[in-house]
Amino acid sequence: MQICPRWYAIPLNFLSLLVVLYALAAALKFSGAVPDLKERSFVLAVVRLAFLLALPFLFFSVVSSVRCVQRLPADEAAMLLFRYWKDSTDDPGTKELPEKFQGVFWFSTDPSPELCINFQAAAFDAATRTMKLYPGSSYTWVWCDSCVGWAFYLFFAFVNPIYSLQVRWEEGYQKAYLPSILFGCFNIDWLTCSAMYIEQMDESEFARTTYVLGRPFKHGSYSLKKVVDKDGRPLPAFDDMILSLKEKRVVQGYVKPWGQLVRGNLC
């Protein structure tokens, strides 16, 4: 398994970014391309330019995400994920996905504003045993219909073109490393000083563990339970999920609402 980044990655990442920007400024200055360039002004200009370029896409992302969102009761949202991918028989990745990953899974002890996931939405490479998930894509995640849930939903919709969560399984599909990837190739775990792993506990339950600064992070670690099987039959955990919402069960300080959000296809 991978080694989690340690605390010293934080200053190293920050210093590395500054060094790269200042080195680029110095190269432009001393090469004669921009002889009067001031390094500090250059760094600030790069930050401003990145912000201005992101604004139009941010606006489009928010508008499109609001247009295609479906606000549903929790039970309907979970079944919608299953029905959508059950009908997607043309996707070769869906056919190759191991049976134990087919169906809908519940973030049972996760304090984040997310309820369910369907691994059949992942791009799956059987040769490398790797799933590539896009949290902001259609019919992949079920987000809570709350202020925090909307923030998560809109954020992942915004970064969806450049961000993916990979699940790299070991042989036997019992344990996996979950790196966060930017632009399809850059592992940013060292930048965030964190690392995530998942391990199968029994036939229908997985445990995800998150490490931050080399230590287990409680609020990023939880149990993932299958609630709908590959044939669309609700499992015992489905009733527990519904009961937890109706009882307003506290999950590490967070109460998940009955209403949920599902991103649909953009019309």
Side-chain angles (χ1 to χ4, degrees):
M1 302 296 283
Q2 301 288 324
I3 298 175
C4 179
R6 298 290 178 173
W7 64 268
Y8 50 75
I10 294 178
L12 285 178
N13 289 327
F14 180 72
L15 290 174
S16 297
L17 179 60
L18 288 180
V19 168
V20 169
L21 290 177
Y22 273 95
L24 179 58
L28 291 173
K29 181 177 181 179
F30 291 108
S31 66
V34 189
D36 298 327
L37 181 65
K38 295 182 179 180
E39 288 83 352
R40 183 177 180 181
S41 299
F42 173 78
V43 173
L44 293 176
V46 169
V47 174
R48 285 197 298 268
L49 179 61
F51 178 74
L52 291 174
L53 290 176
L55 278 180
F57 181 73
L58 176 61
F59 176 77
F60 172 78
S61 175
V62 170
V63 172
S64 61
S65 298
V66 172
R67 282 188 58 197
C68 66
V69 71
Q70 299 184 51
R71 305 176 72 178
L72 300 167
D75 52 349
E76 293 183 22
M79 294 307 299
L80 176 61
L81 288 195
F82 170 79
R83 289 195 303 270
Y84 181 83
W85 291 106
K86 180 67 174 178
D87 296 335
S88 300
T89 54
D90 294 334
D91 185 353
T94 300
K95 296 178 181 178
E96 295 179 350
L97 191 68
E99 185 176 305
K100 66 180 178 181
F101 300 124
Q102 297 179 25
V104 180
F105 291 80
W106 167 39
F107 297 102
S108 64
T109 56
D110 180 12
S112 299
E114 53 190 354
L115 186 70
C116 296
I117 183 177
N118 192 327
F119 287 114
Q120 289 171 263
F124 178 64
D125 185 343
T128 60
R129 301 182 299 278
T130 300
M131 300 176 184
K132 186 182 294 184
L133 287 160
Y134 294 88
S137 59
S138 302
Y139 302 105
T140 303
W141 244 262
V142 175
W143 304 98
C144 296
D145 191 356
S146 62
C147 292
V148 181
W150 270 99
F152 271 64
Y153 168 74
L154 292 174
F155 171 77
F156 281 106
F158 176 64
V159 301
N160 193 59
I162 63 172
Y163 172 81
S164 65
L165 179 66
Q166 292 189 7
V167 187
R168 300 175 180 175
W169 292 96
E170 295 181 352
E171 190 172 356
Y173 294 97
Q174 296 296 315
K175 297 180 180 180
Y177 168 51
L178 287 72
S180 295
I181 306 296
L182 281 184
F183 301 106
C185 57
F186 297 109
N187 185 339
I188 61 171
D189 281 357
W190 283 96
L191 181 64
T192 59
C193 304
S194 64
M196 299 177 289
Y197 305 92
I198 190 169
E199 181 177 1
Q200 185 171 8
M201 307 305 292
D202 56 37
E203 291 184 358
S204 59
E205 183 175 355
F206 294 80
R208 199 195 84 168
T209 305
T210 299
Y211 294 87
V212 176
L213 303 177
R215 297 183 178 182
F217 180 57
K218 178 181 177 181
H219 293 287
S221 303
Y222 54 80
S223 175
L224 190 66
K225 297 181 179 180
K226 182 182 284 192
V227 292
V228 180
D229 70 11
K230 68 180 184 66
D231 298 314
R233 292 188 294 263
L235 299 174
F238 186 89
D239 293 332
D240 188 29
M241 178 182 72
I242 299 303
L243 184 61
S244 71
L245 296 174
K246 290 183 176 180
E247 291 180 342
K248 297 184 178 181
R249 193 177 300 168
V250 179
V251 182
Q252 296 189 48
Y254 182 69
V255 178
K256 299 188 179 184
W258 177 247
Q260 302 293 320
L261 307 172
V262 177
R263 183 182 178 88
N265 292 321
L266 183 62
C267 298

